[in-house]
C-alpha cells in the first residue's frame, strides 16, 4: 500500500460557525473534492487513496462538521447544511468548479451539489449511497440509532476521534453518534426527474454486499442514461462499478481497484488507435 500523501497545504476555513479543516494535495487539472462518510474523516476514508488520486491533479479534502479536525456546533447534521459548508469552503479557496467524490453521507452531499448547484460540478462520483430511502437494505439506520461510545470503544474510529477532534472526549463523541442517528430522518431523497436532470457525468460505485441494493444502483445508472448495449449505442458518460466482496463499512478498502475505476472515469484514456501529436 502506498504511503499517505503529505498535504501540500492544510488549513481551517471559517464557514457557517465552523472552523472547517481542509487539505490540499497535488496540482493540475480540475480539482477533485473528497467528501467522507459519517464517523469517518479524510484519513480514515481516503488516506490510502490520496497518493494515487493526487497524482497529476489537485485534490481538496475536508472534514465535515464534528468529524476529524472540524469542530461541532449546535446544529443537526443534514445533507443541505453539509452541502452549504462545502460551498463555503470552495468560496474560501476561490474554487469555482470541481469533480466531486463522495462516500455515503459524502455521496449524499455530492448528489445535493450536483442537483442544486450544477455549475460547481464537472464530474460526479457517488459511492455507497441511495438516491431514495427505499434503495437501502435496512438495518444501518436502526444500528446507528442505538449506537453508543461503549459499542465502538477501542475501534479505529474512536481512537481517531479522540486523537484529532477539537472535542476529544467521549461525551462529544456520543453527541456526534446521536446526530448521525438522526441524519436524513424523514428525508424523501431525490425524484427520478432530479436524477435524470443532473448535468455532470456520473460514476456510481457500490459494494456487492453494501447497504445499497444492487437493483437500486442499476436504477440509478438507468436514470443517468446507462444500462445500454455499448457496442451498438456507445458507452454512456455515466457508469456503474460494483466492487466484489465489499460491504458498506469497507466500501473503499480495495485501494487499487477503487483508484483505477475513479481515475479512469475522471481522465479516460484516449480512443484506441489515437496517436498523440
Amino acid at each position: 500500500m502506498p504511503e499517505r500523501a503529505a498535504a501540500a497545504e492544510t488549513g481551517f476555513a471559517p464557514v457557517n460557525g465552523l472552523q472547517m479543516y481542509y487539505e490540499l494535495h497535488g496540482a493540475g487539472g480540475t480539482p477533485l473534492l473528497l467528501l467522507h462518510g459519517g464517523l469517518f474523516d479524510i484519513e480514515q476514508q481516503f488516506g490510502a487513496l490520496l497518493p494515487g488520486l493526487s497524482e497529476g491533479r489537485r485534490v481538496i479534502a475536508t472534514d465535515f462538521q464534528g468529524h476529524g479536525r472540524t469542530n461541532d456546533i449546535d446544529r443537526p447534521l443534514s445533507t443541505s447544511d453539509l452541502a452549504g459548508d462545502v460551498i463555503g469552503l470552495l468560496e474560501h479557496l476561490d474554487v469555482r468548479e470541481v469533480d466531486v467524490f463522495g462516500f455515503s453521507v459524502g455521496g449524499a452531499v455530492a448528489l445535493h451539489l450536483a442537483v442544486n448547484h450544477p455549475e460547481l460540478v464537472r464530474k460526479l462520483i457517488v459511492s455507497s449511497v441511495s438516491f431514495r430511502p427505499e434503495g437501502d437494505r435496512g438495518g444501518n439506520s436502526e444500528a446507528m440509532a442505538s449506537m453508543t461510545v461503549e459499542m465502538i470503544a477501542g475501534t479505529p474510529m474512536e481512537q481517531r476521534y479522540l486523537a484529532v477532534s477539537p472535542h476529544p472526549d467521549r461525551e462529544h463523541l456520543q453527541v456526534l453518534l446521536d446526530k448521525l442517528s438522526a441524519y436524513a430522518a424523514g428525508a424523501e431523497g431525490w425524484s427520478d426527474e432530479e436524477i435524470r436532470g443532473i448535468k455532470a457525468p456520473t460514476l456510481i460505485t457500490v459494494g456487492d454486499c453494501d447497504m445499497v441494493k444492487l437493483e437500486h444502483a442499476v436504477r440509478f445508472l438507468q436514470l443517468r442514461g446507462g444500462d445500454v448495449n455499448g457496442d451498438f449505442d456507445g458507452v454512456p458518460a455515466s457508469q456503474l462499478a460494483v466492487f466484489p466482496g465489499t460491504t458498506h463499512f469497507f466500501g473503499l478498502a480495495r485501494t487499487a481497484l477503487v483508484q483505477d475505476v475513479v481515475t479512469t472515469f475522471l481522465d479516460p484514456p484516449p480512443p484506441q488507435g489515437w496517436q498523440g501529436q
Side-chain angles (χ1 to χ4, degrees), residues 56-80:
R57 70 167 52 78
R58 173 62 105 191
V59 172
I60 304 167
T62 188
D63 288 338
F64 284 137
Q65 171 192 338
H67 291 75
R69 290 180 168 85
T70 298
N71 63 302
D72 199 4
I73 56 176
D74 186 16
R75 183 186 75 176
L77 292 176
S78 72
T79 300
S80 59

Side-chain angles (χ1 to χ4, degrees), residues 111 128-137 188-190 192 195 204 206 211-223 240:
L111 261 179
S128 295
V129 67
S130 60
F131 62 90
R132 279 201 297 274
E134 64 263 29
D136 294 334
R137 296 185 191 279
E188 296 181 357
W190 292 271
D192 287 3
I195 298 300
I204 303 150
V206 64
M211 64 173 281
V212 179
K213 299 174 184 176
L214 292 180
E215 60 264 33
H216 182 80
V218 172
R219 178 59 179 159
F220 200 162
L221 177 68
Q222 291 168 338
L223 292 171
L240 169 65

Side-chain angles (χ1 to χ4, degrees), residues 16-227:
N16 300 329
L18 299 173
Q19 290 296 315
M20 194 168 184
Y21 177 75
Y22 65 87
E23 296 181 2
L24 305 178
H25 298 256
T30 300
L32 173 62
L33 174 66
L34 303 180
L35 303 176
H36 63 77
L39 206 56
F40 282 68
D41 64 357
I42 297 169
E43 174 66 28
Q44 292 180 98
Q45 193 85 80
F46 297 109
L49 287 162
L50 272 166
L53 294 180
S54 61
E55 186 174 342
R57 70 167 52 78
R58 173 62 105 191
V59 172
I60 304 167
T62 188
D63 288 338
F64 284 137
Q65 171 192 338
H67 291 75
R69 290 180 168 85
T70 298
N71 63 302
D72 199 4
I73 56 176
D74 186 16
R75 183 186 75 176
L77 292 176
S78 72
T79 300
S80 59
D81 283 339
L82 295 180
D85 298 339
V86 169
I87 291 170
L89 172 64
L90 294 179
E91 291 174 349
H92 175 80
L93 296 173
D94 195 26
V95 173
R96 299 186 180 184
E97 184 183 55
V98 290
D99 296 329
V100 186
F101 180 5
F103 181 87
S104 190
V105 167
V109 174
L111 261 179
H112 181 98
L113 293 174
V115 170
N116 296 285
H117 302 276
E119 73 284 355
L120 289 177
V121 182
R122 185 189 75 122
K123 288 190 175 182
L124 172 68
I125 304 169
V126 286
S127 295
S128 295
V129 67
S130 60
F131 62 90
R132 279 201 297 274
E134 64 263 29
D136 294 334
R137 296 185 191 279
N140 288 68
S141 58
E142 292 82 0
M144 281 303 305
S146 60
M147 189 74 73
T148 65
V149 291
E150 289 77 16
M151 294 170 67
I152 63 170
T155 65
M157 292 177 292
E158 184 208 37
Q159 293 168 357
R160 179 72 178 169
Y161 183 91
L162 297 176
V164 304
S165 173
H167 320 287
D169 60 74
R170 289 177 174 83
E171 181 179 354
H172 280 94
L173 177 55
Q174 185 62 59
V175 170
L176 176 59
L177 292 172
D178 292 342
K179 288 184 177 183
L180 286 168
S181 72
Y183 183 86
E188 296 181 357
W190 292 271
S191 69
D192 287 3
E193 290 71 23
E194 287 174 313
I195 298 300
R196 283 195 193 97
I198 292 172
K199 296 184 182 300
T202 305
L203 171 63
I204 303 150
T205 85
V206 64
D208 62 352
C209 40
D210 208 316
M211 64 173 281
V212 179
K213 299 174 184 176
L214 292 180
E215 60 264 33
H216 182 80
V218 172
R219 178 59 179 159
F220 200 162
L221 177 68
Q222 291 168 338
L223 292 171
R224 301 298 303 123
D227 192 18

